[in-house]
Amino acid sequence: MTRILFWLALVFLVVHAVRSKLREFQQPREPEPGPAAPTPTPSARQARADARAIAEAETMLCCAHCGIYYPASETVRSKGRDYCSVAHAALPTA
Ligand SMILES: [Zn+2]
């Protein structure tokens, strides 16, 4: 009997946790209530910072040998393929 109660309680807790997480994802966060500011808001500043971060983001490439993703500036080109390191570029291709 104790085991059944334990499992029921466990199932209830898991279902409750999953439902609360789903509710958290479904409800978009409401903006903070406050006086309207005519100057650029923190969200406008955030948008500019995001745009700058996207502009600075570097292209990632996939190594032809191991499949790892690495910055394009670190690529080692060999036989028309991109590799993450000199060691992988030197390995014979299968
Ligand atoms: Zn590699």
Side-chain angles (χ1 to χ4, degrees):
M1 187 65 189
T2 311
R3 283 185 181 175
I4 293 172
L5 287 175
F6 168 77
W7 285 110
L8 281 175
L10 187 68
V11 167
F12 173 78
L13 286 174
V14 168
V15 167
H16 183 74
V18 168
R19 287 182 70 186
S20 67
K21 273 288 173 197
L22 284 176
R23 214 175 303 129
E24 202 172 282
F25 281 119
Q26 286 171 351
Q27 287 178 350
R29 298 218 172 148
E30 293 176 17
E32 294 280 323
T39 54
T41 59
S43 63
R45 211 176 309 138
Q46 183 63 43
R48 258 185 275 131
D50 289 348
R52 191 168 45 236
I54 289 169
E56 291 172 358
E58 190 169 353
T59 303
M60 301 296 279
L61 295 174
C62 181
C63 177
H65 177 73
C66 64
I68 197 170
Y69 283 89
Y70 58 94
S73 62
E74 298 174 13
T75 192
V76 178
R77 282 199 71 87
S78 176
K79 299 164 219 150
R81 303 175 104 186
D82 294 322
Y83 296 91
C84 66
S85 62
V86 176
H88 283 179
L91 289 173
T93 52

